[in-house]
Amino acid sequence: MLKPITDENLKVYIVWLPIIKQDSQAQVPKAISTIQDKRVLHYWDNNGLLSRQFSFPLGLGGERAYDVFLLYGLNEKWTDKIPNPDYIMHQQLEHVPRGHLLNGEKLAKEIQKRLLLIGKNKN
C-alpha cells in the first residue's frame, strides 16, 4: 500500500502488540522486515497500554485497539489525550463502532488525497 505513495510528508507509525498467545516481541523483527520504508517507525506495546489509549477515540472504551489504521492531519495537536483521528479504517469488523472496514486501495487514495492537500497548502 505504501509503494505508490512517494510523498515524504507521509509518516507511518506501526505499533505491534501481543494479541494471540504466539505474539511476542521476538517476532517483531520478522514482522518489521515485511515493511521496508524509511517513513515508517515501529513500536512494541507489550502491555497494551498504547492500544488501550487509542481505543477511546475509536469508541472501544479501553479495550485494546488493533488492526486499525488512523489518519491524522499534519497540524494535529497532541496532548496527554489522544486526539480523534480524521479518518479510520479497521479490520476488527463489528468491534469498532467508528470508521470503515479496511480496503487498502481506498485507504491509499485517502492518504494521497490528504497529502495532496498538504502540498497545495505549502505553496
Side-chain angles (χ1 to χ4, degrees), residues 42-92:
H42 299 269
Y43 298 91
W44 173 247
D45 185 18
N46 189 54
N47 60 9
L49 179 64
L50 189 58
S51 67
R52 284 185 178 86
Q53 292 300 313
F54 273 100
S55 79
F56 292 101
L58 296 170
L60 293 172
E63 292 181 41
R64 290 185 302 171
Y66 59 92
D67 290 342
V68 294
F69 304 82
L70 311 175
L71 302 184
Y72 288 91
L74 184 64
N75 297 317
E76 185 65 54
K77 300 294 181 205
W78 289 77
T79 63
D80 58 340
K81 180 182 174 191
I82 293 177
N84 287 324
D86 295 335
Y87 191 82
I88 301 168
M89 279 198 161
H90 59 82
Q91 296 185 94
Q92 287 184 274

Side-chain angles (χ1 to χ4, degrees), residues 23-42:
D23 291 341
S24 71
Q25 189 172 4
Q27 293 176 319
V28 173
K30 182 178 179 185
I32 287 173
S33 72
T34 65
I35 304 169
Q36 301 283 322
D37 191 303
K38 65 182 179 181
R39 299 168 298 176
V40 177
L41 292 173
H42 299 269

